[in-house]
């Protein structure tokens, strides 16, 4: 990774973490467990004490929200 790419990657990581912080805790926890830590839907459901359908619903809503939160950054940076 070149110096410029490294800065861009760190900036993108900072923006994504800030966007995650804007999510309600119940949605953020699903994103972290499923997308960042790689747990299955069933494992995530068991850890959170909810049904697998609830995990999928929260993940879908969280991803929609993240798309809206990140849209201005993506448009500004031609992502």
């Amino acid at each position: 990774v070149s110096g410029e790419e490294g800065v861009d990657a760190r900036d993108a990581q900072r923006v994504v973490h800030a966007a995650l912080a804007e999510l309600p805790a119940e949605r953020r926890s699903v994103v972290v467990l499923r997308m960042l830590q790689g747990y299955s839907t069933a494992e995530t459901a068991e850890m959170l004490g909810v049904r697998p359908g609830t995990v999928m619903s929260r993940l879908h809503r969280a991803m929609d929200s993240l798309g809206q939160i990140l849209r201005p950054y993506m448009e500004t940076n031609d992502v």
Side-chain angles (χ1 to χ4, degrees):
V1 176
S2 73
E4 186 175 316
E5 289 173 352
V7 171
D8 290 343
R10 285 190 300 270
D11 186 47
Q13 185 177 27
R14 180 189 56 77
V15 169
V16 168
H17 282 276
L20 279 170
E22 291 187 39
L23 294 177
E26 66 182 17
R27 292 182 187 174
R28 182 174 53 250
S29 62
V30 169
V31 171
V32 170
L33 291 170
R34 287 283 292 120
M35 307 304 289
L36 301 180
Q37 295 184 354
Y39 289 103
S40 70
T41 298
E43 291 168 327
T44 301
E46 186 176 330
M47 284 186 264
L48 297 176
V50 299
R51 294 180 180 185
T54 301
V55 170
M56 292 185 290
S57 174
R58 288 179 183 177
L59 182 60
H60 179 77
R61 290 185 182 125
M63 298 307 282
D64 283 348
S65 295
L66 286 172
Q68 291 175 6
I69 294 167
L70 293 170
R71 184 170 291 121
Y73 174 81
M74 294 185 316
E75 289 172 352
T76 301
N77 293 285
D78 295 323
V79 176

